[in-house]
Short mmCIF file of all heavy atoms in Angstrom, two decimals:
data_model
loop_
_atom_site.label_atom_id
_atom_site.label_comp_id
_atom_site.label_asym_id
_atom_site.label_seq_id
_atom_site.Cartn_x
_atom_site.Cartn_y
_atom_site.Cartn_z
N SER A 291 77.59 278.16 123.32
CA SER A 291 76.71 278.89 124.15
C SER A 291 77.45 279.17 125.50
O SER A 291 78.18 278.28 125.96
CB SER A 291 75.38 278.28 124.43
OG SER A 291 75.58 276.92 124.96
N VAL A 292 77.22 280.34 126.08
CA VAL A 292 77.91 280.66 127.36
C VAL A 292 76.88 281.32 128.28
O VAL A 292 76.18 282.27 127.91
CB VAL A 292 79.10 281.63 127.10
CG1 VAL A 292 79.59 282.18 128.45
CG2 VAL A 292 80.21 280.97 126.33
N LEU A 293 76.81 280.81 129.48
CA LEU A 293 75.95 281.35 130.53
C LEU A 293 76.85 282.26 131.40
O LEU A 293 77.88 281.84 131.93
CB LEU A 293 75.36 280.26 131.40
CG LEU A 293 74.50 280.69 132.58
CD1 LEU A 293 73.22 281.35 132.13
CD2 LEU A 293 74.20 279.48 133.48
N VAL A 294 76.46 283.51 131.57
CA VAL A 294 77.28 284.48 132.35
C VAL A 294 76.63 284.62 133.76
O VAL A 294 75.44 284.98 133.86
CB VAL A 294 77.28 285.87 131.66
CG1 VAL A 294 78.10 286.83 132.52
CG2 VAL A 294 77.94 285.72 130.28
N GLU A 295 77.40 284.32 134.79
CA GLU A 295 76.96 284.44 136.17
C GLU A 295 77.87 285.36 136.92
O GLU A 295 78.28 285.10 138.03
CB GLU A 295 76.84 283.09 136.81
CG GLU A 295 75.72 282.22 136.37
CD GLU A 295 75.42 281.05 137.31
OE1 GLU A 295 75.61 281.20 138.49
OE2 GLU A 295 75.06 280.00 136.80
N GLY A 296 78.25 286.46 136.28
CA GLY A 296 79.22 287.37 136.86
C GLY A 296 78.56 288.47 137.62
O GLY A 296 77.35 288.52 137.85
N GLY A 297 79.41 289.49 137.95
CA GLY A 297 78.90 290.65 138.67
C GLY A 297 78.51 291.75 137.73
O GLY A 297 78.50 291.63 136.51
N GLY A 298 78.21 292.92 138.35
CA GLY A 298 77.76 294.08 137.54
C GLY A 298 78.71 294.59 136.51
O GLY A 298 78.30 295.06 135.47
N GLN A 299 80.02 294.51 136.84
CA GLN A 299 81.03 295.04 135.91
C GLN A 299 81.12 294.23 134.61
O GLN A 299 81.09 294.73 133.51
CB GLN A 299 82.40 295.14 136.56
CG GLN A 299 83.46 295.79 135.71
CD GLN A 299 83.11 297.20 135.24
OE1 GLN A 299 82.79 298.04 136.07
NE2 GLN A 299 83.04 297.43 133.95
N ILE A 300 81.27 292.90 134.79
CA ILE A 300 81.36 292.01 133.60
C ILE A 300 80.06 292.04 132.82
O ILE A 300 80.05 292.05 131.56
CB ILE A 300 81.78 290.59 134.02
CG1 ILE A 300 82.16 289.78 132.76
CG2 ILE A 300 80.70 289.86 134.75
CD1 ILE A 300 83.52 290.16 132.20
N ASN A 301 78.94 292.14 133.52
CA ASN A 301 77.66 292.21 132.82
C ASN A 301 77.57 293.48 131.94
O ASN A 301 77.16 293.41 130.80
CB ASN A 301 76.51 292.19 133.81
CG ASN A 301 76.32 290.86 134.48
OD1 ASN A 301 76.77 289.82 133.99
ND2 ASN A 301 75.53 290.82 135.51
N PHE A 302 77.95 294.65 132.50
CA PHE A 302 77.90 295.85 131.72
C PHE A 302 78.85 295.80 130.58
O PHE A 302 78.52 296.25 129.44
CB PHE A 302 78.19 297.08 132.64
CG PHE A 302 78.23 298.34 131.82
CD1 PHE A 302 77.05 298.89 131.31
CD2 PHE A 302 79.43 299.01 131.55
CE1 PHE A 302 77.07 300.04 130.57
CE2 PHE A 302 79.44 300.16 130.76
CZ PHE A 302 78.27 300.71 130.29
N SER A 303 80.05 295.27 130.82
CA SER A 303 81.03 295.21 129.68
C SER A 303 80.50 294.38 128.51
O SER A 303 80.70 294.77 127.37
CB SER A 303 82.36 294.60 130.24
OG SER A 303 82.93 295.49 131.21
N LEU A 304 79.87 293.25 128.84
CA LEU A 304 79.34 292.43 127.79
C LEU A 304 78.16 293.08 127.07
O LEU A 304 78.03 293.01 125.85
CB LEU A 304 78.89 291.03 128.37
CG LEU A 304 79.99 290.12 128.76
CD1 LEU A 304 79.47 289.06 129.68
CD2 LEU A 304 80.60 289.47 127.56
N LEU A 305 77.30 293.76 127.85
CA LEU A 305 76.15 294.51 127.24
C LEU A 305 76.67 295.62 126.37
O LEU A 305 76.15 295.83 125.26
CB LEU A 305 75.24 295.01 128.35
CG LEU A 305 74.39 293.98 129.10
CD1 LEU A 305 73.86 294.58 130.37
CD2 LEU A 305 73.26 293.44 128.23
N LYS A 306 77.60 296.34 126.85
CA LYS A 306 78.10 297.52 126.12
C LYS A 306 78.80 297.04 124.76
O LYS A 306 78.67 297.73 123.76
CB LYS A 306 79.19 298.27 126.92
CG LYS A 306 79.69 299.53 126.27
CD LYS A 306 80.68 300.28 127.15
CE LYS A 306 81.20 301.54 126.46
NZ LYS A 306 82.16 302.23 127.32
N ALA A 307 79.40 295.86 124.79
CA ALA A 307 80.02 295.33 123.61
C ALA A 307 79.00 294.69 122.66
O ALA A 307 79.43 294.21 121.58
CB ALA A 307 81.13 294.31 123.98
N GLY A 308 77.74 294.62 123.07
CA GLY A 308 76.75 293.97 122.24
C GLY A 308 76.88 292.47 122.13
O GLY A 308 76.46 291.86 121.16
N LEU A 309 77.40 291.86 123.16
CA LEU A 309 77.68 290.47 123.13
C LEU A 309 76.63 289.57 123.86
O LEU A 309 76.67 288.36 123.86
CB LEU A 309 79.06 290.15 123.76
CG LEU A 309 80.23 290.70 122.96
CD1 LEU A 309 81.52 290.56 123.78
CD2 LEU A 309 80.38 290.02 121.61
N VAL A 310 75.67 290.20 124.51
CA VAL A 310 74.63 289.47 125.26
C VAL A 310 73.46 289.19 124.31
O VAL A 310 72.96 290.14 123.65
CB VAL A 310 74.16 290.20 126.51
CG1 VAL A 310 73.03 289.44 127.22
CG2 VAL A 310 75.35 290.39 127.46
N ASP A 311 72.95 287.98 124.27
CA ASP A 311 71.85 287.60 123.39
C ASP A 311 70.56 287.27 124.08
O ASP A 311 69.46 287.41 123.53
CB ASP A 311 72.32 286.40 122.52
CG ASP A 311 73.58 286.66 121.78
OD1 ASP A 311 73.58 287.60 120.89
OD2 ASP A 311 74.64 286.01 122.00
N ARG A 312 70.65 286.78 125.32
CA ARG A 312 69.45 286.51 126.10
C ARG A 312 69.71 286.85 127.58
O ARG A 312 70.86 286.75 128.03
CB ARG A 312 69.08 284.97 125.99
CG ARG A 312 67.87 284.61 126.88
CD ARG A 312 67.37 283.18 126.65
NE ARG A 312 66.63 283.06 125.40
CZ ARG A 312 65.35 283.37 125.25
NH1 ARG A 312 64.67 283.89 126.25
NH2 ARG A 312 64.74 283.19 124.09
N VAL A 313 68.67 287.26 128.28
CA VAL A 313 68.77 287.56 129.69
C VAL A 313 67.81 286.75 130.49
O VAL A 313 66.69 286.59 130.09
CB VAL A 313 68.54 289.07 129.94
CG1 VAL A 313 68.51 289.38 131.45
CG2 VAL A 313 69.59 289.93 129.25
N TYR A 314 68.23 286.22 131.57
CA TYR A 314 67.37 285.61 132.62
C TYR A 314 67.52 286.44 133.85
O TYR A 314 68.59 286.52 134.42
CB TYR A 314 67.79 284.18 132.90
CG TYR A 314 67.23 283.11 131.96
CD1 TYR A 314 67.97 282.72 130.86
CD2 TYR A 314 66.00 282.55 132.15
CE1 TYR A 314 67.52 281.76 129.95
CE2 TYR A 314 65.50 281.58 131.25
CZ TYR A 314 66.26 281.19 130.18
OH TYR A 314 65.77 280.26 129.30
N ALA A 315 66.45 287.02 134.32
CA ALA A 315 66.45 287.82 135.53
C ALA A 315 65.53 287.21 136.54
O ALA A 315 64.34 287.08 136.34
CB ALA A 315 66.03 289.26 135.22
#
Side-chain angles (χ1 to χ4, degrees):
S291 58
V292 171
L293 177 67
V294 180
E295 288 194 34
Q299 183 59 56
I300 192 75
N301 287 345
F302 177 71
S303 297
L304 287 163
L305 288 166
K306 185 178 180 181
L309 294 172
V310 177
D311 302 298
R312 176 174 285 280
V313 173
Y314 277 92

